[in-house]
Structures are given as structure tokens and as C-alpha cells.
Amino acid sequence: AQSVAQPEDQVNVAEGNPLTVKCTYSVSGNPYLFWYVQYPNRGLQFLLKYITGDNLVKGSYGFEAEFNKSQTSFHLKKPSALVSDSALYFCALERGSQGNLIFGKGTKLSVKP
Amino acid sequence: GAGVSQSPSNKVTEKGKDVELRCDPISGHTALYWYRQRLGQGLEFLIYFQGNSAPDKSGLPSDRFSAERTGESVSTLTIQRTQQEDSAVYLCASSLRAHNYGYTFGSGTRLTVV
């Protein structure tokens, strides 16, 4: 069965420090992986996606994610966190050829000044 | 339109009543999705429309839930005989094509069943 796991409910980071939000997946075949961000009282916004090619994917707001096939991971990273990055982050996997995404439970990122 | 529009933004209803939620996707987006987000939880897939194909209803939690979409336009999600456990934010998203494209989400409808 295809699934996405975000092992951390919350990640706390000091402003200016690097951040990592973890995601692992399980899928038969090639995965299509996505990251979305949800700010308070707002809808989800697309950050980045991995379809094929370079394992390091760059996205919006300075975020990037590294696809690691051997570890079945797609961790979200940013070199220097901002307080404004505080939000709920969702990793998602495209389910086969049918197009709908399976979302992880989400990780709350809190960046303190 | 410029984005995915959902209405109403908030809905409070009495247990047992029917509710209808509306989603207006981005013009030209062939794929449309409904998800449910309960408080403090992740997104739960409900239903997916792709063009004129038969919808994927595999995520609908019960026969009280149904959705329609005419062509590539507006979609409505109907919940009959609402229960308190239906309280959640219902999110709609559309996509230019079904595969490999990111979704654009609406702001959601917050449904509260009292």
C-alpha cells in the first residue's frame, strides 16, 4: 500500500538556523512527491515537487527538498529559517496513475526569534 | 477565476440537516479534488474528478456524502443528515492535469455540526 509518514508532529527551530522537516514514503513504482504549506486560517500552498531528475528540488520561499530513493525519504530543508516560516507542512505522494495525492499528517514548524 | 473559490467559508448546521458545499475551480483545470481536514489532523481524500471520466469516489466515508461536477466547472459536495463527526474543514483543489502537477487549493469551508 502507498503511504506517507511525517514522523515529527512538531519541529522547533531558532531563527537563522537550518531547518529540516522529515518525510518518508512507501510506494510501488516511481514516486511523485510534493510539499505543501498551510498558514493559519488559509488554504494549502504548493511548495515544490519531485517527479524525476535531480534529487535536490528547489521550491518557493527558499525551501528545497532532497529525494533519497534508498532511504525512501523526501525531507524538506531550508538553510536559514525565518519566523514567517512558522506553519503546518504537509508531505504528499501521488497515488499511482489516478492523480489524487495521499497526504502525511503534517508537521508544525515553529521558528522562534 | 484567479484561484479556487469555495463557498461558504463557514457553515454551522444542526445535526441531521443536509449541507451543500461549493467549489469553483480555476478555469481550464480538468482535475478537481475534495479533501477533509479534521482539527489537528492531516488531509483525508474524499473524491476526485478528472474531465468527463467517472469520478473516483473511493474516499467518501459513507453514503451520506456525494459530489457532483458538470464538465470542468463547479463542483458541489453534499452531506446528508449531518453528524457531529462531519465537523471539519472541507478543502477543494484543482489541477491543470491529473498527473504530476501541483494542486491549487481553495481556502476551504469550515463546517460545524451542532
mmCIF file of all heavy atoms in Angstrom, chain A residues 28-70:
data_model
loop_
_atom_site.group_PDB
_atom_site.id
_atom_site.type_symbol
_atom_site.label_atom_id
_atom_site.label_comp_id
_atom_site.label_asym_id
_atom_site.label_seq_id
_atom_site.Cartn_x
_atom_site.Cartn_y
_atom_site.Cartn_z
ATOM 1 N N SER A 28 4.922 1.488 -4.659
ATOM 2 C CA SER A 28 5.448 0.597 -5.685
ATOM 3 C C SER A 28 5.595 1.421 -6.950
ATOM 4 O O SER A 28 4.695 2.148 -7.337
ATOM 5 C CB SER A 28 4.486 -0.564 -5.914
ATOM 6 O OG SER A 28 3.195 -0.093 -6.217
ATOM 7 N N GLY A 29 6.745 1.347 -7.555
ATOM 8 C CA GLY A 29 6.981 2.165 -8.735
ATOM 9 C C GLY A 29 7.628 3.492 -8.376
ATOM 10 O O GLY A 29 8.068 3.722 -7.249
ATOM 11 N N ASN A 30 7.667 4.376 -9.351
ATOM 12 C CA ASN A 30 8.314 5.670 -9.139
ATOM 13 C C ASN A 30 7.391 6.625 -8.393
ATOM 14 O O ASN A 30 6.233 6.779 -8.747
ATOM 15 C CB ASN A 30 8.692 6.279 -10.487
ATOM 16 C CG ASN A 30 9.757 5.476 -11.206
ATOM 17 O OD1 ASN A 30 10.663 4.944 -10.570
ATOM 18 N ND2 ASN A 30 9.637 5.366 -12.516
ATOM 19 N N PRO A 31 7.933 7.264 -7.362
ATOM 20 C CA PRO A 31 7.084 8.185 -6.589
ATOM 21 C C PRO A 31 7.057 9.580 -7.180
ATOM 22 O O PRO A 31 8.046 10.060 -7.731
ATOM 23 C CB PRO A 31 7.780 8.205 -5.231
ATOM 24 C CG PRO A 31 9.236 8.030 -5.573
ATOM 25 C CD PRO A 31 9.277 7.134 -6.781
ATOM 26 N N TYR A 32 5.909 10.216 -7.074
ATOM 27 C CA TYR A 32 5.788 11.642 -7.336
ATOM 28 C C TYR A 32 5.497 12.277 -5.981
ATOM 29 O O TYR A 32 4.490 11.979 -5.358
ATOM 30 C CB TYR A 32 4.657 11.924 -8.313
ATOM 31 C CG TYR A 32 4.808 11.235 -9.648
ATOM 32 C CD1 TYR A 32 3.699 10.710 -10.313
ATOM 33 C CD2 TYR A 32 6.052 11.106 -10.256
ATOM 34 C CE1 TYR A 32 3.832 10.071 -11.534
ATOM 35 C CE2 TYR A 32 6.192 10.465 -11.472
ATOM 36 C CZ TYR A 32 5.083 9.951 -12.116
ATOM 37 O OH TYR A 32 5.215 9.321 -13.325
ATOM 38 N N LEU A 33 6.384 13.141 -5.533
ATOM 39 C CA LEU A 33 6.336 13.654 -4.173
ATOM 40 C C LEU A 33 6.191 15.170 -4.158
ATOM 41 O O LEU A 33 6.749 15.860 -5.008
ATOM 42 C CB LEU A 33 7.614 13.247 -3.428
ATOM 43 C CG LEU A 33 7.776 11.737 -3.234
ATOM 44 C CD1 LEU A 33 9.228 11.374 -2.993
ATOM 45 C CD2 LEU A 33 6.904 11.265 -2.061
ATOM 46 N N PHE A 34 5.460 15.643 -3.172
ATOM 47 C CA PHE A 34 5.142 17.061 -3.093
ATOM 48 C C PHE A 34 5.281 17.544 -1.643
ATOM 49 O O PHE A 34 5.130 16.765 -0.698
ATOM 50 C CB PHE A 34 3.685 17.310 -3.532
ATOM 51 C CG PHE A 34 3.370 16.873 -4.928
ATOM 52 C CD1 PHE A 34 3.175 15.540 -5.237
ATOM 53 C CD2 PHE A 34 3.257 17.810 -5.949
ATOM 54 C CE1 PHE A 34 2.877 15.140 -6.535
ATOM 55 C CE2 PHE A 34 2.955 17.417 -7.242
ATOM 56 C CZ PHE A 34 2.775 16.082 -7.537
ATOM 57 N N TRP A 35 5.533 18.845 -1.487
ATOM 58 C CA TRP A 35 5.420 19.512 -0.203
ATOM 59 C C TRP A 35 4.455 20.682 -0.344
ATOM 60 O O TRP A 35 4.533 21.451 -1.319
ATOM 61 C CB TRP A 35 6.773 20.035 0.287
ATOM 62 C CG TRP A 35 7.598 19.017 1.005
ATOM 63 C CD1 TRP A 35 8.640 18.297 0.511
ATOM 64 C CD2 TRP A 35 7.428 18.601 2.370
ATOM 65 N NE1 TRP A 35 9.142 17.457 1.479
ATOM 66 C CE2 TRP A 35 8.425 17.620 2.624
ATOM 67 C CE3 TRP A 35 6.568 18.963 3.403
ATOM 68 C CZ2 TRP A 35 8.556 16.997 3.868
ATOM 69 C CZ3 TRP A 35 6.699 18.346 4.628
ATOM 70 C CH2 TRP A 35 7.687 17.372 4.854
ATOM 71 N N TYR A 36 3.575 20.799 0.670
ATOM 72 C CA TYR A 36 2.653 21.912 0.752
ATOM 73 C C TYR A 36 2.802 22.570 2.119
ATOM 74 O O TYR A 36 3.181 21.922 3.096
ATOM 75 C CB TYR A 36 1.197 21.432 0.597
ATOM 76 C CG TYR A 36 0.818 21.082 -0.807
ATOM 77 C CD1 TYR A 36 1.151 19.836 -1.343
ATOM 78 C CD2 TYR A 36 0.162 21.992 -1.624
ATOM 79 C CE1 TYR A 36 0.819 19.515 -2.649
ATOM 80 C CE2 TYR A 36 -0.181 21.674 -2.929
ATOM 81 C CZ TYR A 36 0.155 20.436 -3.434
ATOM 82 O OH TYR A 36 -0.168 20.130 -4.719
ATOM 83 N N VAL A 37 2.458 23.858 2.180
ATOM 84 C CA VAL A 37 2.486 24.590 3.436
ATOM 85 C C VAL A 37 1.111 25.187 3.694
ATOM 86 O O VAL A 37 0.422 25.605 2.760
ATOM 87 C CB VAL A 37 3.572 25.690 3.424
ATOM 88 C CG1 VAL A 37 3.340 26.693 2.299
ATOM 89 C CG2 VAL A 37 3.629 26.409 4.759
ATOM 90 N N GLN A 38 0.711 25.165 4.951
ATOM 91 C CA GLN A 38 -0.581 25.745 5.332
ATOM 92 C C GLN A 38 -0.350 26.759 6.444
ATOM 93 O O GLN A 38 0.023 26.396 7.561
ATOM 94 C CB GLN A 38 -1.537 24.652 5.802
ATOM 95 C CG GLN A 38 -2.948 25.151 6.081
ATOM 96 C CD GLN A 38 -3.886 24.033 6.468
ATOM 97 O OE1 GLN A 38 -3.503 23.086 7.147
ATOM 98 N NE2 GLN A 38 -5.138 24.127 6.028
ATOM 99 N N TYR A 39 -0.600 28.030 6.120
ATOM 100 C CA TYR A 39 -0.516 29.075 7.123
ATOM 101 C C TYR A 39 -1.842 29.144 7.867
ATOM 102 O O TYR A 39 -2.881 28.729 7.323
ATOM 103 C CB TYR A 39 -0.165 30.412 6.474
ATOM 104 C CG TYR A 39 1.207 30.395 5.830
ATOM 105 C CD1 TYR A 39 1.334 30.250 4.442
ATOM 106 C CD2 TYR A 39 2.357 30.494 6.589
ATOM 107 C CE1 TYR A 39 2.588 30.212 3.845
ATOM 108 C CE2 TYR A 39 3.611 30.452 6.005
ATOM 109 C CZ TYR A 39 3.723 30.312 4.634
ATOM 110 O OH TYR A 39 4.956 30.256 4.036
ATOM 111 N N PRO A 40 -1.850 29.670 9.085
ATOM 112 C CA PRO A 40 -3.081 29.697 9.882
ATOM 113 C C PRO A 40 -4.260 30.312 9.135
ATOM 114 O O PRO A 40 -4.127 31.374 8.519
ATOM 115 C CB PRO A 40 -2.685 30.543 11.094
ATOM 116 C CG PRO A 40 -1.213 30.335 11.226
ATOM 117 C CD PRO A 40 -0.703 30.213 9.814
ATOM 118 N N ASN A 41 -5.373 29.605 9.169
ATOM 119 C CA ASN A 41 -6.631 30.075 8.575
ATOM 120 C C ASN A 41 -6.535 30.314 7.074
ATOM 121 O O ASN A 41 -7.271 31.135 6.521
ATOM 122 C CB ASN A 41 -7.116 31.357 9.266
ATOM 123 C CG ASN A 41 -7.355 31.129 10.741
ATOM 124 O OD1 ASN A 41 -7.958 30.138 11.133
ATOM 125 N ND2 ASN A 41 -6.843 32.022 11.560
ATOM 126 N N ARG A 42 -5.639 29.598 6.442
ATOM 127 C CA ARG A 42 -5.503 29.713 4.990
ATOM 128 C C ARG A 42 -5.428 28.337 4.356
ATOM 129 O O ARG A 42 -5.168 27.341 5.019
ATOM 130 C CB ARG A 42 -4.252 30.527 4.638
ATOM 131 C CG ARG A 42 -4.341 31.960 5.092
ATOM 132 C CD ARG A 42 -3.070 32.715 4.820
ATOM 133 N NE ARG A 42 -2.776 32.824 3.412
ATOM 134 C CZ ARG A 42 -1.720 33.469 2.932
ATOM 135 N NH1 ARG A 42 -0.878 34.041 3.755
ATOM 136 N NH2 ARG A 42 -1.486 33.520 1.640
ATOM 137 N N GLY A 43 -5.664 28.292 3.061
ATOM 138 C CA GLY A 43 -5.582 27.037 2.343
ATOM 139 C C GLY A 43 -4.143 26.600 2.145
ATOM 140 O O GLY A 43 -3.202 27.317 2.462
ATOM 141 N N LEU A 44 -3.967 25.397 1.630
ATOM 142 C CA LEU A 44 -2.630 24.875 1.391
ATOM 143 C C LEU A 44 -1.995 25.536 0.168
ATOM 144 O O LEU A 44 -2.671 25.790 -0.836
ATOM 145 C CB LEU A 44 -2.682 23.364 1.152
ATOM 146 C CG LEU A 44 -2.691 22.497 2.397
ATOM 147 C CD1 LEU A 44 -4.047 22.523 3.056
ATOM 148 C CD2 LEU A 44 -2.292 21.075 2.051
ATOM 149 N N GLN A 45 -0.701 25.753 0.269
ATOM 150 C CA GLN A 45 0.036 26.319 -0.857
ATOM 151 C C GLN A 45 1.120 25.342 -1.293
ATOM 152 O O GLN A 45 1.821 24.771 -0.465
ATOM 153 C CB GLN A 45 0.687 27.640 -0.463
ATOM 154 C CG GLN A 45 -0.292 28.729 -0.098
ATOM 155 C CD GLN A 45 0.416 29.998 0.325
ATOM 156 O OE1 GLN A 45 1.523 30.292 -0.147
ATOM 157 N NE2 GLN A 45 -0.191 30.767 1.200
ATOM 158 N N PHE A 46 1.247 25.180 -2.582
ATOM 159 C CA PHE A 46 2.244 24.304 -3.162
ATOM 160 C C PHE A 46 3.640 24.888 -2.943
ATOM 161 O O PHE A 46 3.879 26.080 -3.169
ATOM 162 C CB PHE A 46 1.948 24.162 -4.657
ATOM 163 C CG PHE A 46 3.017 23.488 -5.456
ATOM 164 C CD1 PHE A 46 3.151 22.111 -5.429
ATOM 165 C CD2 PHE A 46 3.861 24.230 -6.263
ATOM 166 C CE1 PHE A 46 4.109 21.489 -6.195
ATOM 167 C CE2 PHE A 46 4.830 23.616 -7.023
ATOM 168 C CZ PHE A 46 4.962 22.236 -6.994
ATOM 169 N N LEU A 47 4.589 24.064 -2.485
ATOM 170 C CA LEU A 47 5.968 24.500 -2.282
ATOM 171 C C LEU A 47 6.892 23.971 -3.366
ATOM 172 O O LEU A 47 7.659 24.731 -3.965
ATOM 173 C CB LEU A 47 6.485 24.021 -0.925
ATOM 174 C CG LEU A 47 6.266 24.891 0.306
ATOM 175 C CD1 LEU A 47 6.893 24.222 1.516
ATOM 176 C CD2 LEU A 47 6.808 26.295 0.104
ATOM 177 N N LEU A 48 6.863 22.663 -3.555
ATOM 178 C CA LEU A 48 7.759 22.053 -4.535
ATOM 179 C C LEU A 48 7.320 20.625 -4.809
ATOM 180 O O LEU A 48 6.487 20.079 -4.085
ATOM 181 C CB LEU A 48 9.213 22.086 -4.042
ATOM 182 C CG LEU A 48 9.500 21.553 -2.636
ATOM 183 C CD1 LEU A 48 9.582 20.041 -2.602
ATOM 184 C CD2 LEU A 48 10.814 22.141 -2.099
ATOM 185 N N LYS A 49 7.911 20.051 -5.864
ATOM 186 C CA LYS A 49 7.592 18.675 -6.217
ATOM 187 C C LYS A 49 8.814 17.982 -6.794
ATOM 188 O O LYS A 49 9.702 18.621 -7.362
ATOM 189 C CB LYS A 49 6.452 18.627 -7.235
ATOM 190 C CG LYS A 49 6.808 19.237 -8.593
ATOM 191 C CD LYS A 49 5.628 19.166 -9.556
ATOM 192 C CE LYS A 49 5.986 19.806 -10.890
ATOM 193 N NZ LYS A 49 4.832 19.783 -11.832
ATOM 194 N N TYR A 50 8.824 16.656 -6.624
ATOM 195 C CA TYR A 50 9.817 15.814 -7.271
ATOM 196 C C TYR A 50 9.084 14.852 -8.189
ATOM 197 O O TYR A 50 8.213 14.101 -7.739
ATOM 198 C CB TYR A 50 10.645 15.021 -6.257
ATOM 199 C CG TYR A 50 11.524 13.995 -6.928
ATOM 200 C CD1 TYR A 50 12.746 14.363 -7.481
ATOM 201 C CD2 TYR A 50 11.100 12.675 -7.080
ATOM 202 C CE1 TYR A 50 13.534 13.425 -8.136
ATOM 203 C CE2 TYR A 50 11.866 11.737 -7.738
ATOM 204 C CZ TYR A 50 13.086 12.122 -8.271
ATOM 205 O OH TYR A 50 13.858 11.202 -8.941
ATOM 206 N N ILE A 51 9.473 14.878 -9.465
ATOM 207 C CA ILE A 51 8.885 13.943 -10.420
ATOM 208 C C ILE A 51 9.975 13.007 -10.929
ATOM 209 O O ILE A 51 9.859 11.797 -10.886
ATOM 210 C CB ILE A 51 8.214 14.677 -11.593
ATOM 211 C CG1 ILE A 51 7.161 15.675 -11.069
ATOM 212 C CG2 ILE A 51 7.599 13.688 -12.574
ATOM 213 C CD1 ILE A 51 6.062 15.035 -10.264
ATOM 214 N N THR A 52 11.045 13.602 -11.406
ATOM 215 C CA THR A 52 12.184 12.839 -11.908
ATOM 216 C C THR A 52 13.363 13.785 -12.017
ATOM 217 O O THR A 52 13.216 14.986 -11.873
ATOM 218 C CB THR A 52 11.854 12.204 -13.269
ATOM 219 O OG1 THR A 52 12.929 11.331 -13.656
ATOM 220 C CG2 THR A 52 11.695 13.271 -14.337
ATOM 221 N N GLY A 53 14.568 13.230 -12.249
ATOM 222 C CA GLY A 53 15.712 14.099 -12.469
ATOM 223 C C GLY A 53 16.517 14.334 -11.211
ATOM 224 O O GLY A 53 16.671 13.450 -10.366
ATOM 225 N N ASP A 54 17.012 15.555 -11.057
ATOM 226 C CA ASP A 54 17.892 15.930 -9.956
ATOM 227 C C ASP A 54 17.223 15.630 -8.617
ATOM 228 O O ASP A 54 16.059 15.994 -8.395
ATOM 229 C CB ASP A 54 18.213 17.416 -10.065
ATOM 230 C CG ASP A 54 19.394 17.822 -9.195
ATOM 231 O OD1 ASP A 54 19.761 17.044 -8.285
ATOM 232 O OD2 ASP A 54 19.929 18.915 -9.407
ATOM 233 N N ASN A 55 17.985 14.997 -7.725
ATOM 234 C CA ASN A 55 17.420 14.622 -6.429
ATOM 235 C C ASN A 55 17.173 15.818 -5.523
ATOM 236 O O ASN A 55 16.407 15.723 -4.570
ATOM 237 C CB ASN A 55 18.350 13.628 -5.721
ATOM 238 C CG ASN A 55 18.324 12.265 -6.389
ATOM 239 O OD1 ASN A 55 17.412 11.957 -7.154
ATOM 240 N ND2 ASN A 55 19.325 11.462 -6.111
ATOM 241 N N LEU A 56 17.831 16.926 -5.779
ATOM 242 C CA LEU A 56 17.619 18.133 -4.983
ATOM 243 C C LEU A 56 16.670 19.047 -5.744
ATOM 244 O O LEU A 56 16.993 19.533 -6.831
ATOM 245 C CB LEU A 56 18.943 18.841 -4.701
ATOM 246 C CG LEU A 56 18.863 20.036 -3.755
ATOM 247 C CD1 LEU A 56 18.402 19.605 -2.369
ATOM 248 C CD2 LEU A 56 20.205 20.753 -3.682
ATOM 249 N N VAL A 57 15.529 19.276 -5.139
ATOM 250 C CA VAL A 57 14.495 20.075 -5.778
ATOM 251 C C VAL A 57 14.380 21.408 -5.047
ATOM 252 O O VAL A 57 14.298 21.441 -3.826
ATOM 253 C CB VAL A 57 13.132 19.351 -5.719
ATOM 254 C CG1 VAL A 57 12.050 20.197 -6.354
ATOM 255 C CG2 VAL A 57 13.227 17.998 -6.382
ATOM 256 N N LYS A 58 14.358 22.490 -5.786
ATOM 257 C CA LYS A 58 14.217 23.819 -5.174
ATOM 258 C C LYS A 58 12.787 24.312 -5.383
ATOM 259 O O LYS A 58 12.188 24.093 -6.449
ATOM 260 C CB LYS A 58 15.219 24.790 -5.784
ATOM 261 C CG LYS A 58 16.662 24.426 -5.444
ATOM 262 C CD LYS A 58 17.631 25.497 -5.876
ATOM 263 C CE LYS A 58 19.063 25.085 -5.591
ATOM 264 N NZ LYS A 58 19.301 24.892 -4.134
ATOM 265 N N GLY A 59 12.265 24.986 -4.348
ATOM 266 C CA GLY A 59 10.891 25.449 -4.432
ATOM 267 C C GLY A 59 10.744 26.892 -3.985
ATOM 268 O O GLY A 59 11.693 27.658 -3.987
ATOM 269 N N SER A 60 9.526 27.203 -3.566
ATOM 270 C CA SER A 60 9.198 28.569 -3.177
ATOM 271 C C SER A 60 9.799 28.923 -1.823
ATOM 272 O O SER A 60 10.096 28.042 -1.006
ATOM 273 C CB SER A 60 7.675 28.722 -3.099
ATOM 274 O OG SER A 60 7.052 28.323 -4.290
ATOM 275 N N TYR A 61 9.969 30.238 -1.588
ATOM 276 C CA TYR A 61 10.366 30.793 -0.289
ATOM 277 C C TYR A 61 11.709 30.262 0.215
ATOM 278 O O TYR A 61 11.949 30.225 1.419
ATOM 279 C CB TYR A 61 9.287 30.538 0.765
ATOM 280 C CG TYR A 61 7.889 30.886 0.313
ATOM 281 C CD1 TYR A 61 6.887 29.919 0.296
ATOM 282 C CD2 TYR A 61 7.559 32.156 -0.133
ATOM 283 C CE1 TYR A 61 5.605 30.219 -0.123
ATOM 284 C CE2 TYR A 61 6.271 32.458 -0.567
ATOM 285 C CZ TYR A 61 5.309 31.481 -0.552
ATOM 286 O OH TYR A 61 4.036 31.780 -0.983
ATOM 287 N N GLY A 62 12.590 29.833 -0.689
ATOM 288 C CA GLY A 62 13.909 29.367 -0.288
ATOM 289 C C GLY A 62 13.968 27.933 0.193
ATOM 290 O O GLY A 62 15.022 27.466 0.649
ATOM 291 N N PHE A 63 12.843 27.219 0.110
ATOM 292 C CA PHE A 63 12.822 25.821 0.533
ATOM 293 C C PHE A 63 13.369 24.911 -0.562
ATOM 294 O O PHE A 63 13.282 25.209 -1.759
ATOM 295 C CB PHE A 63 11.394 25.380 0.879
ATOM 296 C CG PHE A 63 10.925 25.873 2.216
ATOM 297 C CD1 PHE A 63 10.232 27.071 2.321
ATOM 298 C CD2 PHE A 63 11.175 25.138 3.357
ATOM 299 C CE1 PHE A 63 9.806 27.536 3.554
ATOM 300 C CE2 PHE A 63 10.743 25.585 4.594
ATOM 301 C CZ PHE A 63 10.063 26.784 4.689
ATOM 302 N N GLU A 64 13.902 23.791 -0.122
ATOM 303 C CA GLU A 64 14.345 22.751 -1.037
ATOM 304 C C GLU A 64 14.077 21.400 -0.386
ATOM 305 O O GLU A 64 13.850 21.316 0.829
ATOM 306 C CB GLU A 64 15.830 22.901 -1.378
ATOM 307 C CG GLU A 64 16.748 22.883 -0.180
ATOM 308 C CD GLU A 64 18.177 23.264 -0.540
ATOM 309 O OE1 GLU A 64 18.386 24.006 -1.538
ATOM 310 O OE2 GLU A 64 19.074 22.815 0.173
ATOM 311 N N ALA A 65 14.077 20.359 -1.193
ATOM 312 C CA ALA A 65 13.848 19.022 -0.664
ATOM 313 C C ALA A 65 14.757 18.048 -1.386
ATOM 314 O O ALA A 65 15.040 18.210 -2.578
ATOM 315 C CB ALA A 65 12.393 18.607 -0.830
ATOM 316 N N GLU A 66 15.212 17.055 -0.642
ATOM 317 C CA GLU A 66 16.129 16.073 -1.202
ATOM 318 C C GLU A 66 15.451 14.719 -1.288
ATOM 319 O O GLU A 66 15.016 14.156 -0.275
ATOM 320 C CB GLU A 66 17.390 15.966 -0.357
ATOM 321 C CG GLU A 66 18.443 15.047 -0.969
ATOM 322 C CD GLU A 66 19.786 15.141 -0.277
ATOM 323 O OE1 GLU A 66 19.855 15.786 0.790
ATOM 324 O OE2 GLU A 66 20.745 14.573 -0.799
ATOM 325 N N PHE A 67 15.367 14.215 -2.499
ATOM 326 C CA PHE A 67 14.802 12.890 -2.733
ATOM 327 C C PHE A 67 15.905 11.851 -2.542
ATOM 328 O O PHE A 67 16.972 11.958 -3.150
ATOM 329 C CB PHE A 67 14.237 12.811 -4.146
ATOM 330 C CG PHE A 67 13.797 11.427 -4.557
ATOM 331 C CD1 PHE A 67 12.713 10.830 -3.952
ATOM 332 C CD2 PHE A 67 14.476 10.739 -5.548
ATOM 333 C CE1 PHE A 67 12.305 9.566 -4.325
ATOM 334 C CE2 PHE A 67 14.078 9.467 -5.935
ATOM 335 C CZ PHE A 67 12.989 8.881 -5.321
ATOM 336 N N ASN A 68 15.637 10.867 -1.688
ATOM 337 C CA ASN A 68 16.604 9.802 -1.435
ATOM 338 C C ASN A 68 15.896 8.467 -1.640
ATOM 339 O O ASN A 68 15.119 8.035 -0.784
ATOM 340 C CB ASN A 68 17.173 9.908 -0.020
ATOM 341 C CG ASN A 68 18.313 8.936 0.215
ATOM 342 O OD1 ASN A 68 18.244 7.776 -0.179
ATOM 343 N ND2 ASN A 68 19.368 9.409 0.855
ATOM 344 N N LYS A 69 16.172 7.845 -2.763
ATOM 345 C CA LYS A 69 15.449 6.622 -3.118
ATOM 346 C C LYS A 69 15.798 5.466 -2.180
ATOM 347 O O LYS A 69 14.917 4.691 -1.791
ATOM 348 C CB LYS A 69 15.742 6.230 -4.567
ATOM 349 C CG LYS A 69 14.895 5.087 -5.082
ATOM 350 C CD LYS A 69 15.086 4.875 -6.565
ATOM 351 C CE LYS A 69 14.154 3.773 -7.074
ATOM 352 N NZ LYS A 69 14.276 3.592 -8.552
ATOM 353 N N SER A 70 17.057 5.354 -1.804
ATOM 354 C CA SER A 70 17.476 4.228 -0.967
ATOM 355 C C SER A 70 16.872 4.313 0.431
ATOM 356 O O SER A 70 16.579 3.290 1.052
ATOM 357 C CB SER A 70 18.996 4.163 -0.878
ATOM 358 O OG SER A 70 19.508 5.328 -0.256
#
